[in-house]
Structure formats: structure tokens, C-alpha cells
Amino acid sequence: MRTAVEGLDLPALDRFFAERIPGFRGELTAERLSGGRSNLTYLLTDGTTRWVLRRPPLGGLTPSAHDVLREHRVVSALSDSVVPVPRAVAHSEGDPLGVPFSVVEYVPGPVIRTEEELHALPQIDIDRCAHALIDVLARLHSVDPDGVGLGAFGRAQGYLGRQVRRWNDQWQRIRTRALPDVDALYARLAEAHPVESGASIVHGDFRIDNVILTPGEPAAVRAVVDWEMATLGDPIADLGVHIAYSDPAFAPVLGGSAASTSPRLPAASELTNRYAEITGRDLSNFPFYLALGYFKVAVIAEGIHYRFEQGVTRGAGFDSVGEATAPLAAAGLRALSGNLETP
């Protein structure tokens, strides 16, 4: 008898796969994968083929924050683009799990999540990997949304103002305590934001542990994953959140050792300069984008902490996530003063 897996109805998925996926051989087994702290991610196999299924967390949902169907749409659209993504296989709006879910092909390759995993690489490979991430981000931002069928994927105009309001709305729903710096950061971001730099497909959560690398070649990205916050918007916001993730204050969100916070990664200024050189975009207003990134990550951290307090998180390392919210908000306030470099 196969082992039950929380969050999945395996017999019901057997029937779903039999109806939707050619070549399915029957009777899935599953295991929950480590990694993402929002949507739940599972490795499924019928003994011959492997797939990855993503579904929302078990509780503490906030509107639009765990949109696996959005993931499915953007991955499907980018399948033949310059951005490497897993092949989309199937999706459902509810049946048979009672929640939306998406299924993609399993892409083998290392995912660097911790500082220890990153530091196993020689410094030259760490630098090459960090540069490759910026290159992939720049390629994403070069994709014509209309050309891949995503012209109506979101309202590109007014993106920055909507982001400030949306993440404050999230904060009001999931805050577990009074944190004045979060409110102060929101107020300053809401006061004024720059004229948007343009519009592109934005990933929304771009960092090193959301990519699958090529075995033995850390500078080659095989697939970008975790597209639940993707939309159309100002591409520099993607760069801002990517740099915010390099702050050591983020480490508790991933259990205390986050590869993105390693001091051995290139300096933020080196990465932003590389992005500017590739894309030709003007980064003179980058302090705002970085502060917005910090605001977003602070609210994400609080959302995870909220679900932990509700008792609906699964796995280890959630007890310390709430420690990140206030320092991230404080860093956002510092960023608005023009301080680019993270501690």
C-alpha cells in the first residue's frame, strides 16, 4: 500500500493523470520537495516518468499570493522563448484536489538553496552563476509579451502604485503584531513613485533558489521556476527584489542559511551595473525599486510567519521566519536614502 502524502489525494490524481496525460502508467507515488515557503511542491512518479505538482498552502491564503494557475499560464507561454522553463503538462482549477494545481515536467539539476551548497563551488563559479542569473533576468525582460501570448497577462501601466497598495493590503490581512517600520515604509513608498521604466513580463520572485542549474555547470540555467507572482509590469522591480534577497536579514525566511544572502556573491552594484549594461535601462531611480523589493519580501516573511502561527506550515525552519520582517522593513527605509549595498 502506497504512503499517503498530506495535501494530495493520490487515487484521485491517478484518475486525473489517466485522463489528461498520455503515456501515464498508473498509480502515482509522491514526496513533498523542499524549497518554496508558499506553494507546496511535490515530486510525482508513475515509476517511469517524473512530474512536479504545485498547489497552494494548506491555510492562511491571501488573494493572488499563491496563484498556481498563473504559473501554468506563464510557463506555457514561455516554453519556446529565450527563457528556460519546465514544460507545462496539465492544470486544474479545483478538481480533484479541491484547490487549483499545476503539473510540469521534472527538470533534473541542482538547486542551490543554502550558503553551504553555494560555498561548495569555487569563487569563479559563484560569480559566473550570479552573472548568469542577471543574464536570464535580462532575457526575460526582453521577451515581447504579445509575441508569446501574454499581452493581456496583466495591466502594465500603473504597476508600481498597484504593487505598493497590494502588498500593504496583504500586510493588513496577515500582520501578527505592530511593526512601525513596515507602516513607515509603506507610507514613504505610497507618497511618490518614479515614472515607470517600461513594461515587460516580470517574474516577481527571482532569486538563486528559484532556478534549476545544469549539473556541473552552475553558470547554465536549465529552468526558472516558481512563477506564481509573475505579471506584466516594470522590469526594474524584478531587479529590486532580486537584490533585496541578498540582504542577510532575509536568511531566517529560508531557515537561517539562504544562498542568496552569501557574502561571496558579487556586490549589488556589480549586478545592477551588469543588468544596466545588458538592457540599456536607466537605474537612476533604483533606490525606490530596491525599497519596494524590501517591502514585498518583508510582507512575504510575515505571511509565512502568520501561517506558522496558524499551524498550517509543513516542514522545519518556520519558527524563526518572523524574525526577518522588521529588519527587512528597516532595510527598505535605508534603501530609500540611496544606500544600494546590503549589509
Side-chain angles (χ1 to χ4, degrees):
M1 183 175 179
R2 57 183 165 179
T3 304
V5 179
E6 186 179 28
L8 298 182
D9 181 338
L10 291 177
L13 282 174
D14 287 342
R15 295 188 291 273
F16 177 87
F17 272 54
E19 294 172 358
R20 303 286 187 91
I21 299 178
F24 175 60
R25 294 180 176 272
E27 189 152 308
L28 291 164
T29 59
E31 62 178 291
R32 192 172 62 82
L33 296 175
S34 60
R37 299 252 153 166
S38 53
N39 285 330
L40 299 178
T41 307
Y42 302 87
L43 177 62
L44 308 179
T45 182
D46 62 358
T48 301
T49 305
R50 290 182 288 181
W51 302 272
V52 172
L53 182 147
R54 298 256 290 167
R55 57 147 291 166
L58 300 177
L61 298 180
T62 51
S64 78
H66 309 283
D67 196 340
V68 294
L69 298 184
R70 176 171 290 270
E71 287 191 290
H72 179 84
R73 183 178 174 188
V74 71
V75 168
S76 298
L78 292 174
S79 61
D80 295 319
S81 75
V82 295
V83 182
V85 293
R87 182 178 62 87
V89 174
H91 70 285
S92 172
E93 296 184 1
D95 293 334
L97 298 183
V99 294
F101 65 90
S102 66
V103 181
V104 299
E105 67 174 346
Y106 172 75
V107 179
V111 176
I112 298 178
R113 295 188 174 93
T114 67
E115 283 195 0
E116 292 76 13
E117 291 169 341
L118 184 69
H119 294 173
L121 300 174
Q123 186 62 46
I124 188 172
D125 282 345
I126 293 176
D127 292 344
R128 290 172 65 235
C129 180
H131 293 160
L133 294 180
I134 294 296
D135 297 349
V136 168
L137 190 62
R139 291 206 300 273
L140 170 64
H141 296 161
S142 74
V143 173
D144 175 15
D146 288 317
V148 295
L150 292 177
F153 192 49
R155 291 178 295 147
Q157 299 303 315
Y159 172 79
L160 295 178
R162 288 197 308 276
Q163 282 286 289
V164 173
R165 293 189 297 272
R166 174 170 295 174
W167 288 101
N168 184 60
D169 288 345
Q170 303 279 39
W171 169 247
Q172 299 304 328
R173 288 186 177 94
I174 50 81
R175 62 190 302 170
T176 64
R177 57 259 162 95
L179 292 176
D181 278 352
V182 178
D183 296 321
L185 180 55
Y186 162 69
R188 291 192 58 185
L189 290 170
E191 283 175 2
H193 49 75
V195 175
E196 293 178 357
S197 70
S200 74
I201 303 166
V202 293
H203 181 277
D205 197 27
F206 192 79
R207 63 177 191 260
I208 189 171
D209 55 305
N210 279 340
V211 302
I212 300 170
L213 303 174
T214 300
E217 181 44 86
V221 176
R222 295 197 70 182
V224 180
V225 298
D226 289 11
W227 292 89
E228 66 198 71
M229 289 190 280
T231 189
L232 299 186
D234 191 324
I236 300 177
D238 253 355
L239 183 64
V241 77
H242 183 64
I243 299 301
Y245 278 133
S246 68
D247 195 306
F250 173 68
V253 180
L254 294 187
S257 177
S260 67
T261 67
S262 168
R264 291 180 58 186
L265 288 169
S269 56
E270 179 179 335
L271 298 178
T272 55
N273 287 341
R274 185 180 183 94
Y275 178 87
E277 290 171 3
I278 296 170
T279 64
R281 296 186 186 276
D282 178 7
L283 298 187
S284 57
N285 291 315
F286 189 68
F288 173 89
Y289 294 93
L290 179 58
L292 177 59
Y294 273 117
F295 182 53
K296 180 176 179 177
V297 177
V299 176
I300 290 171
E302 187 71 3
I304 297 169
H305 177 63
Y306 173 80
R307 294 197 301 277
F308 170 74
E309 291 206 333
Q310 285 190 318
V312 295
T313 52
R314 296 296 181 269
F318 289 96
D319 55 334
S320 64
V321 175
E323 299 171 9
T325 308
L328 287 167
L333 290 171
R334 292 194 299 272
L336 284 173
S337 69
N339 180 13
L340 171 61
E341 299 299 339
T342 55

